[in-house]
Amino acid sequence: MSISNPSAASGHLVSVSAPAKINLHLEVLGLRSDGFHELAMVMQSIELADQLHFRNTADGTISLRCDDASLSTAGDNLIVRAAHLLRERSGFSELGAAIELQKRIPIGAGLAGGSSDGAATLVGLNGLWNLNFSQRQLEGFAAELGSDMPFCLAGGSQLCFGRGERLESLQAMKASMAVVLVKDPSVSVSTPWAYGRCKELFSSRYLSQESDFEQRRQQLRESSWLNPMRADNPPPLRNDLQEVVAPEVSAVQTTLKLLTDLPGSLAVAMSGSGPSCFALFADFASAQAALQLQQPAFAAAGLSSWCCAFRCEGIKLEA
Ligand code: C5P
């Protein structure tokens, strides 16, 4: 592609909010020839977000600073990887950025915090550097970097197939639901470990034919709770990784038990590969009331908790 006039104005600041996601449905269909799992999911953005700030650097360096010292800011961080990929694809090797991350989404939690930060970097630097890559091109870069990243870019409520990167939009929701989200801050779960363990335990029941995968996708598309999503016909919640992770991570069992006791909760599940779990509520006010009541019990068990409304959009440049 031809791009002219990439921005080099050093004082310019671009800010982006990067929301977390939860899985309302995570079904493992089978194994793919690339070694990844074939999935059928419904993902949902929520109002818990990291903040990223981007400034040009005069010397062409790409650097990352974060207010959470436990997070690597080196080349393995998806923010740094996304910045390098975008610069490489732009063809302008002299572009640089100083990136600051305010980390609010817990790390290693099954909430796609890292993927959302990576997707926010594609959007933020596309704006800062005036690259004018289309949303479709950014989605392609996102899919190269991680299975959840295209969803994080698009956000809202989406069906996600393939590795998770094949998106199909859902009808707009009638009214926003909300969750009480809970995580043990001392526990994180590795996604490759969770999928590896799933394969060890359950590969004998995996589907293998594309026609069988497509049948399951179609069943999910036609689910009564999806068209559109409504609080009076709420998602039943399913996460196939829960039966892999919960037996081995006691924090997940404790969290699910405490969430089940919340008054007014519609359903309870783990998100992604865990260990975060959530209870679903018809609206923000009922989620807030339930959390107020049970927050001392979560705190006594050493668990962090949040009340978050569903968010209907993904990553956007802030004004
Ligand atoms: O794509 P991403 O880097 O997020 O995936 C992390 C790991 O999770 C993969 O390396 C793989 O082990 C596992 N995974 C999988 N099937 C998927 C997505 C992830 O097996 N659909």
Side-chain angles (χ1 to χ4, degrees):
M1 71 176 290
S2 76
I3 308 161
S4 60
N5 191 27
S7 170
S10 57
H12 190 46
L13 173 74
V14 165
S15 297
V16 182
S17 138
K21 64 84 186 157
I22 53 171
N23 296 81
L24 301 176
H25 186 95
L26 191 166
E27 193 177 339
V28 176
L29 301 183
L31 261 187
R32 299 154 50 95
S33 53
D34 61 8
F36 280 71
H37 284 82
E38 183 71 29
L39 305 175
M41 301 190 285
V42 177
M43 302 229 253
Q44 174 64 54
S45 306
I46 57 170
E47 294 286 0
L48 172 65
D50 292 341
Q51 286 291 325
L52 290 94
H53 307 285
F54 304 88
R55 273 180 214 280
N56 281 306
T57 51
D59 59 359
T61 53
I62 290 174
S63 66
L64 173 63
R65 281 194 344 191
C66 178
D67 59 1
D68 181 340
S70 69
L71 191 72
S72 161
T73 51
D76 57 332
N77 189 299
L78 269 173
I79 294 174
V80 179
R81 290 179 53 206
H84 281 279
L85 181 79
L86 198 74
R87 181 171 70 179
E88 179 205 308
R89 298 299 155 86
S90 78
F92 293 103
S93 58
E94 71 279 15
L95 291 173
I99 308 171
E100 274 187 44
L101 168 64
Q102 292 170 294
K103 195 74 198 152
R104 299 295 172 265
I105 305 172
I107 299 163
L111 301 170
S115 297
S116 195
D117 293 343
T121 302
L122 295 176
V123 173
L125 292 181
N126 193 38
L128 184 78
W129 291 339
N130 274 330
L131 297 176
N132 290 319
F133 282 117
S134 67
Q135 184 75 7
R136 207 184 170 79
Q137 286 173 305
L138 294 182
E139 267 175 31
F141 302 152
E144 286 182 49
L145 290 161
S147 305
D148 284 349
M149 269 178 72
F151 168 79
C152 292
L153 203 61
S157 323
Q158 309 262 351
L159 285 158
C160 308
F161 298 128
R163 290 186 285 129
E165 89 291 8
R166 270 176 52 196
L167 308 185
E168 290 180 21
S169 289
L170 286 164
Q171 279 184 52
M173 230 179 307
K174 290 291 182 205
S176 181
M177 286 180 261
V179 289
V180 167
L181 182 68
V182 176
K183 179 182 182 280
D184 185 327
S186 65
V187 178
S188 65
V189 171
S190 145
T191 303
W193 170 80
Y195 279 107
R197 188 82 184 114
C198 185
K199 189 167 119 184
E200 270 169 37
L201 292 173
F202 299 122
S203 62
S204 61
R205 71 185 194 199
Y206 285 180
L207 303 174
S208 55
Q209 304 292 323
E210 169 54 29
S211 56
D212 293 331
F213 294 161
E214 185 50 29
Q215 195 180 22
R216 289 299 306 132
R217 288 181 202 120
Q218 194 54 24
Q219 280 168 4
L220 183 58
R221 287 183 191 107
E222 290 171 1
S223 304
S224 69
W225 58 269
L226 263 186
N227 297 296
M229 240 191 289
R230 294 192 325 250
D232 60 359
N233 182 24
L237 302 184
R238 168 174 175 174
N239 183 345
D240 289 353
L241 293 180
Q242 194 175 308
E243 62 180 308
V244 174
V245 176
E248 306 209 24
V249 182
S250 63
V252 170
Q253 296 159 35
T254 312
T255 309
L256 286 169
K257 161 114 197 36
L258 286 169
L259 283 169
T260 308
D261 293 342
L262 285 179
S265 135
L266 303 170
V268 164
M270 190 178 83
S271 182
S273 53
S276 299
C277 298
F278 61 95
L280 186 64
F281 288 84
D283 51 55
F284 186 74
S286 23
Q288 211 173 23
L291 180 57
Q292 227 157 34
L293 211 64
Q294 287 295 87
Q295 210 274 338
F298 293 134
L303 302 171
S304 306
S305 52
W306 300 261
C307 184
C308 314
F310 281 13
R311 170 166 161 151
C312 54
E313 59 183 19
I315 286 157
K316 284 240 156 61
L317 286 179
E318 290 184 354

